Amino acid sequence: WRWHHVPRRRGPEPRAVAARGTHRAAASLAAADAAANERESPGKVKKEMDACFDVVERMGRGAVYLGSARVPEDHPHFAMARDLARDVATAYDCTTWSGLGAGMMEAVTRGGMEAGKPVAGFMILLEAGGQRQASRTHPYLPPEVYHTASFFSARKHGLVDAGIRANKTDRTAFFALPGGVGTLDEIFEVLALLQLRRIGSAHKVPFVVMNYDGCFDGLIKFLEDDMVRYGSLRDKELEPHWVVCDDNAAAMKYLETFYADEN
């Protein structure tokens, strides 16, 4: 056998080791900074929630409307929503609340103003071209009657708080108007809070689904038939929490009965 000398592998130069250590430390610090920035969001959400609560305190609770921003002004449902908001504000001397956007939100804003009652709400910063808006203001309402939120969670807290009843004399309600995914998100948020008794209201709050021209028929069937058959809902489980009305007259009659029976 002939032994061969195997040269010993040289380790990295101390300077290279130090450089790699510096890069790792810098990367760790950058990651820590990013994590810290992400963890700042709870504080930012709380700040926005407090701002929303301040608006509610300033403007007074009332009727909260959840609806699509895409319904054009010449659509029949736009006029129906405007008339509903006007009639509710007039009958119950309450503030009209919404997301203060276009479509159904604009309709109820006009209705509340036609009644000569306060109008308020919570706008949301939108995404445009992959970047969130830096600011957003309402085209004609004064800034003291609304707050523009960056976080949907804060906006939802504000809308829910605007509809609860702290006192028995409070006249509030939630209205589900026709809408898409965002509206359905808000509808189920309120419905879940009512179902789980987590709405935070000292007194029962009416929740009215405005089933204009049967636009919610499919959703109601899904919940009352399909989900009951599947077993995720009991028969008539949702009945105590909301009422479905086909038109404004039925909604106004329901509110009248709701508050008369309570008294």
Side-chain angles (χ1 to χ4, degrees):
W1 295 93
R2 179 177 297 178
W3 293 92
H4 295 279
H5 173 70
V6 178
R8 186 176 180 182
R9 296 181 62 186
R10 297 180 61 190
E13 293 292 335
R15 186 176 299 173
V17 173
R20 281 205 297 271
T22 302
H23 291 321
R24 289 196 193 100
S28 298
L29 287 173
D33 288 342
N37 288 334
E38 288 179 3
R39 287 193 293 270
E40 287 177 3
S41 62
K44 293 178 181 177
V45 172
K46 181 182 183 304
K47 184 177 180 181
E48 285 200 349
M49 286 171 56
D50 289 341
C52 291
F53 295 153
D54 287 344
V55 177
V56 174
E57 188 71 23
R58 185 162 61 247
M59 300 302 298
R61 295 182 171 91
V64 179
Y65 297 87
L66 315 171
S68 174
R70 299 185 181 183
V71 177
E73 294 188 15
D74 58 357
H75 195 290
H77 294 173
F78 186 97
M80 295 164 74
R82 181 193 63 215
D83 293 346
L84 175 67
R86 181 196 61 220
D87 294 345
V88 170
T90 300
Y92 297 100
D93 190 25
C94 62
T95 302
T96 298
W97 290 90
S98 75
L100 294 182
M104 290 301 202
M105 293 175 280
E106 173 65 15
V108 301
T109 297
R110 294 186 192 179
M113 294 180 68
E114 288 177 7
K117 305 300 180 181
V119 171
F122 306 105
M123 302 180 73
I124 190 74
L125 294 178
L126 302 175
E127 303 288 338
Q131 191 170 12
R132 185 176 300 175
Q133 292 174 312
S135 63
R136 186 182 178 198
T137 57
H138 196 273
Y140 56 83
L141 291 177
E144 61 268 19
V145 307
Y146 68 91
H147 175 72
T148 301
S150 179
F151 295 93
F152 277 97
S153 54
R155 184 184 193 226
K156 286 181 181 180
H157 273 85
L159 288 171
V160 169
D161 188 58
I164 67 172
R165 300 174 62 207
N167 303 297
K168 192 174 182 178
T169 55
D170 290 339
R171 294 295 179 259
T172 70
F174 292 100
F175 290 93
L177 298 167
V181 173
T183 300
L184 291 174
D185 175 44
E186 294 168 344
I187 289 172
F188 281 109
E189 175 90 12
V190 174
L191 181 60
L193 290 173
L194 290 170
Q195 181 192 32
L196 300 174
R197 296 177 175 83
R198 297 293 299 273
I199 195 71
S201 181
H203 303 276
K204 188 176 179 181
V205 182
F207 187 16
V208 187
V209 179
M210 300 308 302
N211 193 29
Y212 293 150
D213 296 319
C215 65
F216 283 121
D217 281 350
L219 176 64
I220 301 303
K221 179 183 181 302
F222 170 74
L223 293 171
E224 295 184 349
D225 295 344
D226 298 347
M227 289 298 95
V228 170
R229 186 164 52 251
Y230 183 77
S232 55
L233 282 173
R234 294 187 298 274
D235 188 33
K236 303 184 186 305
E237 182 176 350
L238 299 180
E239 282 191 2
H241 308 303
W242 65 1
V243 63
V244 180
C245 295
D246 293 334
D247 53 41
N248 293 351
M252 295 302 294
K253 181 64 178 177
Y254 169 73
L255 290 179
E256 180 183 352
T257 303
F258 178 93
Y259 282 115
D261 290 348
E262 189 179 66
N263 293 332

